[in-house]
Amino acid sequence: MSRLPPLSRRTLLRGLGAMMALPLLEGMRPGVARGASQAPVPRRFVAFYTPCGIHMAKWTPSGQGPDWSLTPTLASLAPVKDDVLVLGGLDNLPGRPDGDGHHAAATSAFLSCVKARKTEGANIRTGISMDQVLANAVGKATRFPSLELGIDPGKGIGNCDSGYACPYANNIAWAGPSTPVPKETQPRAAFERLFADFDPNVTQAELAKRRAYGLSIIDAVRDDAKALQGRLGTTDRRKLDEYFTGVRELELRVNAMAGAGPTCGTAVAPARTEDVREKTKAMLDLIVLAFQCDLTRTCTFMLGNARSQRVYSFLGLSGEHHAYSHHQKAQANYDALAKIDKWEVEQYAYLLQRMKGVQEEGGTLLDHSAVYFSSEIADGNMHEHRNLPILLAGRAGGALAPGRHVRCGGQPLANLYVSLLNMFGVPASTFGDDGTGPLTGLAG
């Protein structure tokens, strides 16, 4: 059996003041001879957070098991319905606050399932989040142990919700009880961090030349890429071409959002778009490309911070999201929430379809992933911490059996995290304040 030329997963393309990561190629997998069995494709995890709860009346499907129907809120999941689990009846009681402050307290417990200490000061305390437990276990295999992305920046100090400090409201990833992991909220900065790191040995003249000519990261590394092509098999050459196309398209979009391009005269900081539609799709595309490159296997994404005050004018709404969530059973507020919830699920569906479109050995990127979607509470008016709105997509390399609606009967949300950690090879029997063991029913 002939062997493919060995290629390190850490291989970078270099040229004209830039370095660029490569996608996960077959030639990077260890001990591979043509026709021989290969190492397992890595599993990936995404946590997708939406603020202010969900209008549950238009969320919850009828029917159980594989016999369930999409509701109006979930309608955009139709192309990936067989790849999605709808999980009902999971509670996150550690998210309940002392007194008021439901949004911040529950957001801090979103992935930690640990009750937050009520404080406006620096003595914050919650628990390590599930994604960071996972990153500690599998993150050494990738360039970035984890990736934290979001749409809205947040204050680092002060009171953000009835006596709860702002870090509780603005972060779902926690490296430790007092250490939130900050998220990147600008697509261009995230893109450059992931795909366009400048070579530390490059001269200022080379950097200036690249910028003056407005060269893309693809242009900068083109010669090195051509040299690499000769070392690749047919499948890897196709994957590399598809990857370059995706990177270039995303680069053009983030540059346009930032107003980037060749400039003359005095440099002026470009205006940055805050259009949530453009930013969200760019961030979700970044997640897909980061997984394709095996730059990370763990990612969190916040579509907003707790108590989001976003005004969805493009949906024909004039009020703030948080205000609508306190619906007081008014039909106009229900209708507004239904529009917002439907749009949020559409963004999740976009991510799933993008992941399903990436072919890997033995399936798709989505097949090898677990993509979690939820909010910190259920009904926003009642601040309910029971029966949370939860979607879990993908097959996690065969560990999940999606395409079903499963009612979990009031089990702790922490049990779902125990199961997910186990799927990724992390030994865990408890988690957070109330996890008692793995959640049953996920594998069929």
Side-chain angles (χ1 to χ4, degrees), residues 222-414:
R222 191 174 301 281
D223 289 344
D224 207 14
K226 287 180 179 178
L228 175 67
Q229 291 278 4
R231 301 175 59 190
L232 301 179
T234 301
T235 301
D236 278 348
R237 286 198 297 269
R238 175 185 56 78
K239 289 178 69 174
L240 190 61
D241 286 342
E242 292 174 352
Y243 169 67
F244 279 167
T245 298
V247 170
R248 182 56 179 149
E249 289 175 352
L250 181 56
E251 183 180 30
L252 288 171
R253 284 166 53 199
V254 298
N255 283 349
M257 290 164 61
T263 58
C264 300
T266 304
V268 178
R272 296 187 296 189
T273 181
E274 293 302 322
D275 188 316
V276 66
R277 294 167 293 181
E278 294 181 15
K279 288 184 71 174
T280 298
K281 282 196 165 49
M283 289 298 197
L284 299 180
D285 286 342
L286 280 164
I287 293 172
V288 175
L289 286 172
F291 284 161
Q292 275 186 270
C293 279
D294 203 28
L295 290 173
T296 191
R297 298 175 185 173
T298 304
C299 181
T300 57
F301 174 70
M302 295 186 72
L303 193 54
N305 294 333
R307 290 175 55 100
S308 173
Q309 297 178 345
R310 177 169 293 115
V311 176
Y312 288 90
S313 56
F314 61 88
L315 297 178
L317 303 176
S318 58
E320 297 176 351
H321 188 183
H322 180 240
Y324 284 132
S325 74
H326 287 271
H327 49 75
Q328 300 296 311
K329 299 184 179 180
Q331 189 60 48
N333 291 334
Y334 283 149
D335 292 343
L337 288 172
K339 289 182 178 181
I340 295 171
D341 297 345
K342 183 174 182 289
W343 181 82
E344 291 174 332
V345 175
E346 286 170 355
Q347 309 319 299
Y348 178 69
Y350 173 81
L351 174 62
L352 300 185
Q353 290 180 75
R354 287 278 289 109
M355 294 177 70
K356 191 169 184 175
V358 177
Q359 293 296 318
E360 297 187 320
E361 182 74 21
T364 68
L365 175 57
L366 182 58
D367 290 331
H368 300 132
S369 301
V371 188
Y372 172 67
F373 174 103
S374 190
S375 188
E376 78 273 22
I377 52 177
D379 179 79
N381 194 58
M382 298 296 293
H383 291 139
E384 291 175 336
H385 302 268
R386 297 183 182 273
N387 191 28
L388 295 169
I390 293 173
L391 302 172
L392 186 63
R395 287 172 169 77
L400 283 173
R404 297 176 296 131
H405 174 211
V406 179
R407 295 176 180 169
C408 301
Q411 294 184 68
L413 175 63

Side-chain angles (χ1 to χ4, degrees), residues 68 81-85 392-395 400-404 442:
W68 64 284
K81 181 173 182 281
D82 291 340
D83 300 291
V84 177
L85 272 168
L392 186 63
R395 287 172 169 77
L400 283 173
R404 297 176 296 131
L442 292 183

Side-chain angles (χ1 to χ4, degrees), residues 77-127:
L77 295 172
V80 289
K81 181 173 182 281
D82 291 340
D83 300 291
V84 177
L85 272 168
V86 182
L87 299 177
L90 288 177
D91 306 336
N92 194 11
L93 301 186
R96 293 182 297 189
D98 292 325
D100 291 330
H102 288 267
H103 294 281
T107 299
S108 73
F110 181 77
L111 288 175
S112 72
C113 299
V114 172
K115 185 177 179 66
R117 173 188 290 160
K118 190 166 189 176
T119 178
E120 300 177 21
N123 59 330
I124 56 175
R125 186 171 184 83
T126 178

Side-chain angles (χ1 to χ4, degrees), residues 157-233:
I157 57 173
N159 170 24
C160 275
D161 187 7
S162 303
Y164 281 88
C166 292
Y168 294 137
N170 302 333
N171 300 279
I172 57 174
W174 290 78
S178 303
T179 311
V181 184
K183 60 186 183 292
E184 176 55 64
T185 61
Q186 289 301 326
R188 182 177 177 85
F191 178 90
E192 292 186 347
R193 178 186 174 206
L194 289 170
F195 303 107
D197 281 352
F198 288 126
D199 187 333
N201 299 316
V202 74
T203 68
Q204 288 301 310
E206 288 174 317
L207 277 179
K209 181 178 179 181
R210 177 174 179 264
R211 291 168 176 165
Y213 282 94
L215 295 178
S216 76
I217 182 65
I218 303 296
D219 294 327
V221 301
R222 191 174 301 281
D223 289 344
D224 207 14
K226 287 180 179 178
L228 175 67
Q229 291 278 4
R231 301 175 59 190
L232 301 179

